[in-house]
Amino acid sequence: MFTNESADIMGLCQWALDLLGIAWRMNRRNSLSVARREAVAALDRHVGPKS
């Protein structure tokens, strides 16, 4: 889950996830979710697991 009030920051996050081929969806206008098992595993490979 990523939350940010800035549309610019949210757009950069979406752009980066798209470049990495990571599935994401918007829960609200300021909240982005990466929830599919494969997507979470791919994100973990790039940024490390959530602690």
Side-chain angles (χ1 to χ4, degrees):
M1 182 76 68
F2 176 71
T3 304
N4 197 292
E5 292 299 326
S6 169
D8 291 338
I9 298 297
M10 195 59 74
L12 286 172
C13 182
Q14 295 165 350
W15 172 76
L17 291 171
D18 287 343
L19 283 178
L20 294 171
I22 295 173
W24 57 271
R25 69 182 190 101
M26 295 299 292
N27 293 333
R28 295 186 309 268
R29 65 167 183 77
N30 66 340
S31 179
L32 180 147
S33 173
V34 174
R36 293 185 182 152
R37 186 172 299 177
E38 313 83 45
V40 171
L43 190 58
D44 286 350
R45 284 192 299 274
H46 289 285
V47 297
K50 196 168 138 181
S51 53

